[in-house]
Amino acid sequence: MLVLSRRSNESIILGHHIEIVVLGVEGDNVKLGIRAPKEVDIYRKEIYDTIQAENLAASKKTISLDDVSKLFKK
């Protein structure tokens, strides 16, 4: 893990197109701004983990051919 120290209004660059800016520090909270292309998905880690768990659960579900055909008939 790379650890960097930054102050307010300082930033780091990821790749060529993503910039993370420290907007402020208030107690234990750090406010970050992220500049990235619109096609880059940005999630808080807890949301990302939830999405991954739901995708995994959905991939393990089985569905009958009758249920699939009903979806096409709607």
Side-chain angles (χ1 to χ4, degrees):
M1 175 187 305
L2 173 65
V3 179
L4 300 171
S5 296
R6 302 278 72 201
R7 292 188 171 100
S8 287
N9 298 315
E10 292 182 339
S11 62
I12 61 171
I13 303 293
L14 302 176
H16 296 285
H17 304 291
I18 301 172
E19 180 179 12
I20 300 175
V21 182
V22 178
L23 299 176
V25 179
E26 299 171 6
D28 289 341
N29 292 320
V30 178
K31 289 187 178 182
L32 301 174
I34 303 169
R35 290 188 188 108
K38 290 183 180 183
E39 63 270 10
V40 174
D41 294 329
I42 301 171
Y43 301 103
R44 295 188 322 255
K45 178 143 180 16
E46 61 274 15
I47 300 298
Y48 179 81
D49 290 342
T50 300
I51 292 169
Q52 294 301 308
E54 289 179 5
N55 286 343
L56 181 61
S59 72
K60 292 183 178 184
K61 273 188 177 177
T62 58
I63 185 168
S64 72
L65 288 176
D66 289 334
D67 290 337
V68 171
S69 66
K70 288 177 187 173
L71 291 173
F72 288 106
K73 289 180 183 177
K74 289 184 176 180

